[in-house]
Amino acid sequence: MAKFVDQNAFGIIGIGRFGLALANELLDSGKHVIALDKDESRLQPLKNKMRDLYRIDSLTKEALGETGIGDCAAAVVCIGKDLESNLLATLNLIELGIPRVISKAISDDHGLLLKKLGAEVVYPEVDMGTRLAWSLTTKNALDFLALNDNFSIVELELSHEFDGKSLKELNFRNRFGLNVITVIRDGKADADIRPDTVLCGGAIIVVAGNNEKLHAFQEFNAKHA
């Protein structure tokens, strides 16, 4: 018999600043959240927004299972400095058969251990620092997502240099070495990107590629803003 998975449910262990922000974002998106922390006071900010709050002293597989977190589509371990608790929670969430287990890491070695357990790894402080650096140094960049050390996705506002020109006319892919994922005009996203797709100044474009090529494209775009 297949294991039941609630695709709308997400578990969070550790309600510090990162965990609280994550919980609020998921709740605002209409998701069902199960939140756990050993410190009941950390659960207080969520009491008026959700019902599945658990103060938990033990991170054993059995204790975690009793909260219902094992039925979640994904669970995130937001415990930071207590490495033993972080690793134990991660291991037991994986043992519960949760499809996606994502854990916060505070160092490369810590992240390596988490990956060996089978978890996805996030580095919140590093990611936020990188996003801030891009926003400070890159004109017209609206958002940024690093997929690995060399490849990223960037959302930015196009300059009028591109107004009325198609991707084919611009020879966009060969010229800039980037893939256009989406073009957003008047709040409407067009993901059906073709060679004859016409760009316009002021539109939002989402592009993916090598970081060096992304920087070069952004500098070109900024010069013609």
Side-chain angles (χ1 to χ4, degrees), residues 137-149:
T137 60
T138 308
K139 188 175 180 181
N140 291 348
L142 303 176
D143 205 356
F144 161 80
L145 174 64
L147 299 183
N148 58 41
D149 290 341

Side-chain angles (χ1 to χ4, degrees), residues 9-38:
F10 298 85
I12 302 175
I13 300 180
I15 310 300
R17 285 180 297 178
F18 178 58
L20 181 61
L22 178 60
N24 280 319
E25 192 69 27
L26 288 169
L27 290 167
D28 289 344
S29 299
K31 304 302 182 183
H32 174 204
V33 176
I34 298 175
L36 291 70
D37 199 288
K38 65 180 181 180

Side-chain angles (χ1 to χ4, degrees), residues 150-218:
N150 299 310
F151 192 91
S152 303
I153 298 174
V154 174
E155 177 184 276
L156 53 81
E157 181 178 339
L158 280 176
S159 72
H160 288 283
E161 171 70 15
F162 298 95
D163 206 2
K165 299 175 182 177
S166 71
L167 294 176
K168 183 178 180 179
E169 181 182 355
L170 290 164
N171 193 22
F172 193 95
R173 187 169 184 178
N174 290 331
R175 183 179 180 186
F176 298 108
L178 302 173
N179 291 315
V180 179
I181 300 174
T182 306
V183 178
I184 305 171
R185 303 180 183 88
D186 301 321
K188 296 181 180 179
D190 179 11
D192 185 19
I193 304 301
R194 303 171 182 271
D196 60 357
T197 295
V198 176
L199 304 179
C200 62
I204 306 302
I205 189 171
V206 181
V207 291
N210 174 275
N211 289 343
E212 289 185 7
K213 293 185 183 298
L214 284 169
H215 276 296
F217 175 67
Q218 289 172 313

Side-chain angles (χ1 to χ4, degrees), residues 56 58-69 92 95-96:
I56 187 166
S58 173
L59 294 172
T60 63
K61 180 179 176 180
E62 293 72 20
L64 293 174
E66 289 176 0
T67 69
I69 200 170
N92 286 325
E95 288 292 309
L96 285 170

